[in-house]
Amino acid sequence: MNTSVVAPHPRPFFEVTGLHFRLWPILFAGLLMQGILWPARQVARWLYHNHPDLLFGQTWAFVGIAMLLQALGGLIGILIMRRLLPAADGHLRWPPGRSYAGLAAAIGVAMGLVMLVADYWPQLLTQTAPDAGYDLTPVGASGWLAMMAATGLAEETVFRGLLVGMLVVLVPGRLRLRSFEVPFAAVAVGLLFSVAHYETFLADPLHLAIAQQLYAFIWALVYVWLMEKSRSLLAPIIAHGLGNFTEVALVMLMMSAWN
């Protein structure tokens, strides 16, 4: 009797499974993204330039209007998606099991530190106050920090809930890098998420803009991973908002200490 044991074939370092690539849903997702983000930003900009005294002239409040409109667009999109594409899951629910909120918070703080170094390493090296334009008065600082904490709700509903939820059904397939696995939709929307931050190329030096595009793409994959683990948008909302909050809070400290 043959008693030899055949060793299991090791899984490859990188693996793509079940991919059914179709371009039109990705292009549609890009148009849908712009159809939600662009009008929200334009309304806020129009109000800011034409009614600067509205909302007591607080810049962060106009940013808040854009974010509110984006969040509403994402939520409405998810509700429509549920009717037109019943198989899609927008993860618009309280976590049915483990929330992963603690892990999301830790990831968010780490993201904020990475973004701080990527965006402001010259100022950190020279201990120079960043010219970030944040209002450091109690009202201004509190408003900006509140807006940063709310970015998760404004963007995760659009990018992860709506766009990933849709593309998981329309462009099925999964990608695995060692033990980290996400749907192909996460990669497609991650690229769209980076494109949505194109203004960094207009406002920042090239090396900083490229760094921001890279970490925006990586964060997008992590947000999907958290969403799938928790089966809810709560964890990515926490990580996203806390990451931006952490970076801006530290930038404000730099502006106050080194000015």
Side-chain angles (χ1 to χ4, degrees):
M1 183 176 65
N2 186 359
T3 58
S4 62
V5 177
V6 178
H9 186 71
R11 297 182 70 184
F13 178 80
F14 176 74
E15 187 176 25
V16 179
T17 56
L19 178 60
H20 182 193
F21 182 81
R22 289 185 290 183
L23 182 59
W24 74 262
I26 298 174
L27 296 177
F28 176 73
L31 292 175
L32 185 59
M33 175 190 74
Q34 286 299 101
I36 294 173
L37 301 186
W38 187 83
R41 293 169 178 172
Q42 292 305 114
V43 168
R45 285 171 179 163
W46 184 87
L47 288 173
Y48 180 77
H49 290 295
N50 292 277
H51 300 280
D53 294 330
L54 185 68
L55 302 173
F56 306 100
Q58 296 290 326
T59 304
W60 59 265
F62 291 94
V63 174
I65 291 175
M67 291 170 52
L68 175 61
L69 293 175
Q70 288 177 20
L72 287 175
L75 293 172
I76 292 171
I78 291 173
L79 294 178
I80 294 174
M81 180 180 69
R82 284 179 172 176
R83 296 294 299 271
L84 300 180
L85 196 64
D89 186 359
H91 291 83
L92 195 62
R93 68 175 73 89
W94 191 257
R98 182 181 172 187
S99 70
Y100 287 83
L103 177 60
I107 289 174
V109 172
M111 288 175 169
L113 294 174
V114 171
M115 291 188 295
L116 180 72
V117 174
D119 295 343
Y120 297 101
W121 62 265
Q123 292 86 348
L124 289 168
L125 290 176
T126 59
Q127 294 190 358
T128 304
D131 184 18
Y134 295 118
D135 181 0
L136 297 184
T137 65
V139 172
S142 300
W144 275 114
L145 291 175
M147 291 304 100
M148 293 302 103
T151 52
L153 178 61
E155 297 192 358
E156 291 308 301
T157 51
V158 176
F159 288 97
R160 257 55 65 181
L162 175 59
L163 301 185
V164 171
M166 177 182 69
L167 290 183
V168 162
V169 176
L170 298 180
V171 191
R174 298 190 67 82
L175 281 73
R176 183 185 58 80
L177 183 67
R178 293 185 66 88
S179 59
F180 183 81
E181 183 176 341
V182 292
F184 175 79
V187 175
V189 175
L191 293 174
L192 294 177
F193 187 62
S194 296
V195 170
H197 295 78
Y198 70 92
E199 291 181 347
T200 58
F201 285 101
L202 305 177
D204 299 315
L206 180 61
H207 64 283
L208 291 182
I210 292 174
Q212 290 166 358
Q213 293 293 310
L214 288 174
Y215 68 59
F217 175 73
I218 295 171
W219 295 172
L221 299 183
V222 175
Y223 297 147
V224 175
W225 181 82
L226 285 169
M227 182 178 73
E228 286 199 331
K229 284 289 186 181
S230 62
R231 292 181 290 167
S232 168
L233 282 177
L234 179 63
I237 286 173
I238 291 173
H240 194 151
L242 193 53
N244 290 343
F245 177 93
T246 299
E247 181 185 24
V248 172
L250 292 174
V251 168
M252 288 181 173
L253 288 176
M254 291 165 59
M255 292 171 64
S256 178
W258 295 338
N259 195 352

